[in-house]
Amino acid sequence: MTETTQTQTTPDGAFAPYKPRSAEYRAAADLLGGLRQDLFHDAFAYRPLLPAGGEGPPGGRVRRYTAWRRHALVVAAGLVAMFVALTRDGGGTATLSGLLALGPVLLTLSRPVGAFWASLVATTFAAALAPGWSVGPWPPGSLVSHLVVVTVVAIRTRPRTAAWMWVLTAVYGFFTEGFFGGNRFNTNTQPVLVVSAIALLSVTVWHIRRNAEQKVTAQQSETAHERSRRTLLEERTTIARELHDVVAHHMSVVAIQAEAAPYRVENPPPELEKAFATIRENAVAALTELRRVLGVVRAEDYEAPDAPQPTLADLDGLLTNVRGAGLTVEKAVTGAVRELPQGVELSAYRIVQEALSNTLRHAPGASARVEIGYVLGGLGLRIVNGPAPRVLLEKSTHGAGHGITGMRERVSMLNGEMTAGETDDGGYEVAVFLPVARAEDAV
């Protein structure tokens, strides 16, 4: 048995091993790719210059006019280039040279990249028509037009495009001098490059600054949004702590009364004892779960209050304290005073407390008035203060600035309504309505 070994030769380059490209090659490829993307890809795509946000009242004549101010500046610059071509290029073709100077400038309003190429083409025709070809490749009108074009295009695109336009302008100028120029010492390519470099550098700096400002603005907006969310969570946590104490108190009362109820009835039936035992067991279990779930909202340094949470019955004590702090405040109660759900009374007390604290903080020396209205469908509150007797030179930094947010959260929790804002005399008013369901509706 004969074993034959065959060797197959691979054609050159068929399965050649991959050779990684050098860093220089990749850099050159990236540069050429950027050139193609910036100045060749969809060069004549329609990209209109949109109106700017004008100043003045919406829909007003001043606003409509100022919205087109950028377009007016571009047209004015094009007319200047046209005037230079008409007066400096000379000859019987001055009108055509003026149009060749105006056209590329106007094209920047709709096709900015294409306007750059149109400017180079128009410069070539204008130079061929001008009688003084030996003075350089840039006739006066085309020189002004091209500088305007590259500046406007740089503003409407990005810094990399500005760099490529400057490079291609230099290539065009030197190529035209070398092959079509007469006296190389009478050229204006160098001045064009210097002036265009200054203009493009200024535009690039403006782009960088604007991008930096946009990033800072976006970061500030994000920071403000996060601060607002954190404030909201803090206020909700505070409300949850207080409501936890209220609910825990009521559940404890239910458990105690369910345990004591059988002893208040002589010879209670077994079914009744079993029912009260079940009520007590469920109340204790619910209290345990409530403490376990809502315990996560307590801070490590938070201590449960020894006294019950305040209600509207404790409002006189609060008013006494703020009067001692220098605030002149009066209270007015309308309607039939009645006991409300403890959550409603706690929220009403906290709203009045925070509103008076804001008065002390932001309007020291002003007088305040607290109005409480017991109506059929709920409870109305109105806390209003007058203007401060003196103007504050600096905004108060006391407190976290969460007062209005906390009030709105409490009102929203109870499905109420709230308005807050300045009064006509320079004071501040907080108006709240907290609905309270009737006992038969709550069953």
Side-chain angles (χ1 to χ4, degrees), residues 334-391:
T334 59
V337 179
R338 65 184 186 275
E339 185 177 356
L340 301 175
Q342 190 169 0
V344 175
E345 297 220 1
L346 171 61
S347 295
Y349 179 91
R350 294 302 188 196
I351 290 172
V352 175
Q353 182 183 38
E354 187 59 41
L356 296 178
S357 298
N358 288 342
T359 302
L360 285 171
R361 186 180 305 121
H362 302 292
S367 59
R369 177 179 175 85
V370 177
E371 299 177 2
I372 303 174
Y374 290 86
V375 295
L376 183 62
L379 178 70
L381 298 173
R382 181 176 180 266
I383 307 95
V384 59
N385 63 269
R390 62 183 184 276
V391 179

Side-chain angles (χ1 to χ4, degrees), residues 110-392:
S110 58
R111 292 173 172 80
V113 178
F116 170 75
W117 296 110
S119 177
L120 296 180
V121 175
T123 299
T124 304
F125 281 101
L129 295 174
W133 171 261
S134 60
V135 299
W138 307 90
S142 298
L143 188 149
V144 176
S145 175
H146 189 72
L147 291 177
V148 173
V149 167
V150 295
T151 303
V152 174
V153 175
I155 292 175
R156 296 199 56 194
T157 54
R158 52 182 175 178
R160 190 177 69 178
T161 306
W164 280 122
M165 286 192 300
W166 187 87
V167 171
L168 292 179
T169 298
V171 171
Y172 170 83
F174 293 131
F175 176 81
T176 306
E177 291 177 10
F179 287 89
F180 302 103
N183 188 354
R184 293 180 57 87
F185 296 97
N186 294 327
T187 177
N188 55 3
T189 298
Q190 287 80 3
V192 169
L193 293 179
V194 172
V195 176
S196 61
I198 295 174
L200 295 178
L201 182 60
S202 301
V203 172
T204 301
V205 172
W206 174 79
H207 269 297
I208 295 174
R209 181 179 178 181
R210 187 185 66 169
N211 293 336
E213 291 177 350
Q214 291 177 350
K215 290 181 180 179
V216 171
T217 302
Q219 186 176 5
Q220 290 177 346
S221 301
E222 184 178 356
T223 302
H225 179 67
E226 292 297 329
R227 187 185 299 113
S228 177
R229 290 184 57 189
R230 185 175 67 249
T231 299
L232 195 62
L233 291 176
E234 290 176 357
E235 291 302 322
R236 290 178 177 177
T237 300
T238 301
I239 296 173
R241 292 171 182 168
E242 295 177 348
L243 291 181
H244 170 267
D245 298 331
V246 172
V247 175
H249 170 72
H250 286 298
M251 295 301 296
S252 299
V253 171
V254 171
I256 294 173
Q257 291 182 348
E259 183 178 7
Y263 299 101
R264 297 183 179 183
V265 179
E266 184 177 356
N267 298 322
E271 293 82 2
L272 183 61
E273 292 183 352
K274 184 176 180 182
F276 278 119
T278 302
I279 293 174
R280 181 181 181 279
E281 291 176 358
N282 290 333
V284 172
L287 184 61
T288 301
E289 293 298 326
L290 180 65
R291 289 173 177 171
R292 180 181 303 161
V293 173
L294 295 183
V296 298
V297 303
R298 296 189 184 276
E300 295 181 357
D301 57 348
Y302 177 82
E303 296 181 0
D306 297 331
Q309 293 289 354
T311 63
L312 289 177
D314 304 311
L315 194 58
D316 291 335
L318 172 64
L319 299 182
T320 301
N321 291 335
V322 296
R323 290 190 184 106
L327 178 64
T328 302
V329 58
E330 58 179 359
K331 183 182 76 169
V333 180
T334 59
V337 179
R338 65 184 186 275
E339 185 177 356
L340 301 175
Q342 190 169 0
V344 175
E345 297 220 1
L346 171 61
S347 295
Y349 179 91
R350 294 302 188 196
I351 290 172
V352 175
Q353 182 183 38
E354 187 59 41
L356 296 178
S357 298
N358 288 342
T359 302
L360 285 171
R361 186 180 305 121
H362 302 292
S367 59
R369 177 179 175 85
V370 177
E371 299 177 2
I372 303 174
Y374 290 86
V375 295
L376 183 62
L379 178 70
L381 298 173
R382 181 176 180 266
I383 307 95
V384 59
N385 63 269
R390 62 183 184 276
V391 179
L392 298 179

Side-chain angles (χ1 to χ4, degrees), residues 396-407:
S396 174
T397 57
H398 298 289
H402 301 177
I404 299 298
T405 302
M407 285 189 269

